[in-house]
Amino acid sequence: MLAAAATVLLGTVVTILSRSHADRNVYPSAGVLFVHVLEREHFKGEFPPYPKSGDASNDPITFNTNLKGFPDRPGWLRYIQRTPHGDGVLYGSPTAEHVGKPTVIEITAYNRRTFETARHNLVINIMATEEFPLPYQAEFYIKNMNVEEMLASEVLGDFLGAVKNVWQPERLNAINITSALDRGGRVPLPINNLKEGVYVMVGADVPFSSCLREVENPHNQLRCSQEMEPVISCDKKFRAQFHIDWCKISLVDINKVVPVYVSRPDPGTGILPEFGEYNPPSESLRSPDYFFDFLVTLAVPSAVALVLFFILGYTMCCRREGVEKRNMQTPAIQLVHHSSIQKSTKELRGMSKNREISWPLSTLPVFNPVSGEVVPPIHPDNYETTSMPLMQTQANLQNQITIPQQRPSGDNYVMSTFRRLEVNGIPEERKVAEALNL
């Protein structure tokens, strides 16, 4: 079923609205806000019903909109749908550049319960009018509205009615509506009645009223710079339903705007023109030949590496001086010194191999020539060194032997005790004999 396009007129307020779910043509005007509502109720009939008869169908349905043959929409057309259980809205303001160019929008509805899809086409034929664009344009920032709330015909009509009472124009229309998020605004906190804000641009054919001009008052400009609310006499006509931030209002007279032409350099070949559609190359083109690129990428570095390998091999193998030539160029005294170092090193290594045959002198008994005693080593391997006293007596010595000792005054002898030690299982009698000979 096709629904007819509805034109909402509030006095001389002009806004184009359309509600449809099937393929159809719409005819918006350049410079006028265009709104197209995608109603879920109309798409429900194209999806299978619930398994049980009598159940209320509340399937979550989402929409995808794109220019036919392209992945996205035209630059002037926006789309919004807050939740899968709400309607989708296409809105935007076409310009004079799009006049006479039919725009086909593919609308695909997705049923998130059954994964069924339905697709329709919306043909937008942009018309040119002599009345638009209107020369005087004002943009308001409404803090307590979201964009989908402002796109509703009743709310938008109430706002344009309030502007008409303040401005008193002969012709008035909504030019564009933009969410504050699209202008760099931040997502509001999840608090009740906290909105993201919306910018609404309207145009009229008469100059701005004194009430709107109050924003340009130096006193109000000072208050805005101090982040204070400016004093506007007509604010009470909006305050009942719309909270307007008067510091962000923009008043533009397009008759006084000087166009700025920027000279651009010649882009040269290979750059797409500024306007027009992109025509991809034909699929029948031959694939390029990469053999030469392969040679340049692999053959040239391999050849360079091979040359470097031969140079390095010749230097290391064919240019060696040898030991004889090195000795001929070395002074004799340096060779002798080097030879002596080698002999000493070899001798030390040979001695280190035989050091287990006899114990070092530090491990042999110590002979006292005065008392004739043989004191055992301080740190023998078979004694606990942590409990051994520094000076030992004869009473605590074990494995001792008694030998005679000659007195200095006569021929009488006294017996002295010596400790009997063994080295590698052989009694150390030689040390005792040497002590007696002293």
Side-chain angles (χ1 to χ4, degrees):
M1 184 178 92
L2 296 178
T7 303
V8 179
L9 298 176
L10 179 61
T12 56
V13 178
V14 180
T15 302
I16 297 178
L17 299 175
S18 64
R19 295 177 179 269
S20 171
H21 78 285
D23 301 349
R24 64 162 304 162
N25 291 288
V26 293
Y27 300 89
S29 299
V32 180
L33 178 64
F34 166 74
V35 180
H36 182 80
V37 180
L38 306 178
E39 295 182 343
R40 296 173 62 255
E41 296 295 335
H42 295 296
F43 284 90
K44 287 181 180 179
E46 301 191 12
F47 298 117
Y50 271 71
K52 296 181 181 180
S53 58
D55 292 345
S57 177
N58 192 23
D59 294 341
I61 299 176
T62 58
F63 300 94
N64 182 40
T65 59
N66 62 280
L67 185 63
K68 188 174 183 179
F70 295 88
D72 204 354
R73 297 174 299 274
W76 62 270
L77 189 63
R78 297 185 179 92
Y79 169 75
I80 186 172
Q81 183 185 14
R82 289 288 180 178
T83 63
H85 297 281
D87 296 336
V89 182
L90 283 169
Y91 66 99
S93 179
T95 61
E97 300 175 355
H98 306 94
V99 174
K101 300 177 182 179
T103 302
V104 181
I105 303 297
E106 292 181 341
I107 302 173
T108 306
Y110 297 91
N111 190 320
R112 297 303 178 181
R113 179 182 65 89
T114 61
F115 301 101
E116 294 285 338
T117 60
R119 178 170 295 177
H120 304 282
N121 293 332
L122 177 68
V123 182
I124 302 176
N125 302 281
I126 302 173
M127 308 299 293
T129 58
E130 297 179 357
E131 299 178 356
F132 305 107
L134 297 175
Y136 301 96
Q137 299 177 0
E139 187 177 55
F140 299 86
Y141 175 59
I142 305 174
K143 298 183 289 185
N144 64 330
M145 288 286 177
N146 290 334
V147 62
E148 70 275 8
E149 297 174 346
M150 200 67 197
L151 290 173
S153 59
E154 298 82 3
V155 178
L156 183 58
D158 294 341
F159 177 75
L160 294 178
V163 174
K164 182 177 177 62
N165 293 333
V166 172
W167 202 336
Q168 297 297 328
E170 295 182 2
R171 296 193 305 273
L172 179 70
N173 72 284
I175 298 178
N176 198 7
I177 292 180
T178 308
S179 173
L181 301 180
D182 297 335
R183 297 286 188 90
R186 302 180 63 180
V187 178
L189 296 174
I191 301 177
N192 294 333
N193 299 325
L194 190 60
K195 308 294 183 177
E196 64 189 28
V198 61
Y199 289 89
V200 181
M201 179 178 288
V202 298
D205 58 345
V206 297
F208 305 107
S209 63
S210 59
C211 173
L212 299 179
R213 291 288 185 183
E214 292 178 1
V215 180
E216 301 175 352
N217 191 329
H219 177 69
N220 287 331
Q221 292 292 326
L222 178 61
R223 293 178 65 89
C224 289
S225 63
Q226 298 176 353
E227 297 183 357
M228 299 175 61
E229 189 79 15
V231 179
I232 306 296
S233 60
C234 58
D235 180 58
K236 59 183 179 180
K237 296 184 178 180
F238 298 91
R239 183 65 61 175
Q241 188 176 359
F242 307 101
H243 296 173
I244 297 178
D245 188 349
W246 293 99
C247 292
K248 294 184 179 181
I249 190 174
S250 174
L251 305 177
V252 178
D253 185 358
I254 63 176
N255 294 326
K256 297 181 181 180
V257 175
V258 178
V260 178
Y261 298 97
V262 180
S263 59
R264 299 181 181 179
D266 186 12
T269 60
I271 305 299
L272 295 177
E274 185 175 359
F275 303 103
E277 297 181 356
Y278 171 68
N279 294 322
S282 175
E283 297 180 357
S284 61
L285 295 177
R286 295 177 56 188
S287 60
D289 186 8
Y290 295 103
F291 181 74
F292 179 75
D293 297 338
F294 171 77
L295 293 179
V296 173
T297 305
L298 296 180
V300 174
S302 301
V304 174
L306 186 62
V307 172
L308 294 177
F309 173 77
F310 281 112
I311 294 175
L312 181 61
Y314 173 76
T315 304
M316 296 183 64
C317 299
C318 301
R319 300 288 295 176
R320 297 185 61 184
E321 296 180 352
V323 178
E324 297 180 357
K325 185 176 182 180
R326 182 198 65 185
N327 294 340
M328 293 176 59
Q329 296 178 353
T330 304
I333 186 64
Q334 187 174 355
L335 294 177
V336 172
H337 183 261
H338 178 69
S339 178
S340 63
I341 292 176
Q342 285 185 338
K343 291 180 180 179
S344 300
T345 304
K346 186 182 297 184
E347 183 178 358
L348 289 175
R349 290 179 178 176
M351 294 174 61
S352 65
K353 295 179 180 179
N354 302 325
R355 61 183 176 180
E356 295 181 357
I357 297 177
S358 61
W359 286 8
L361 296 178
S362 60
T363 62
L364 297 179
V366 179
F367 174 73
N368 190 344
V370 178
S371 61
E373 296 181 356
V374 179
V375 182
I378 298 177
H379 301 290
D381 295 337
N382 55 353
Y383 278 84
E384 179 66 29
T385 59
T386 57
S387 61
M388 180 181 296
L390 296 178
M391 297 183 64
Q392 298 179 349
T393 61
Q394 294 181 1
N396 57 7
L397 294 178
Q398 301 177 1
N399 301 326
Q400 295 178 344
I401 61 174
T402 303
I403 62 174
Q405 182 178 2
Q406 185 178 4
R407 290 178 179 271
S409 59
D411 296 336
N412 296 327
Y413 292 89
V414 295
M415 300 302 293
S416 297
T417 58
F418 295 88
R419 186 181 178 188
R420 181 182 181 87
L421 299 176
E422 293 182 356
V423 178
N424 296 333
I426 302 174
E428 188 67 17
E429 302 292 350
R430 182 172 56 86
K431 295 297 180 181
V432 178
E434 291 179 355
L436 293 177
N437 292 332
L438 293 176

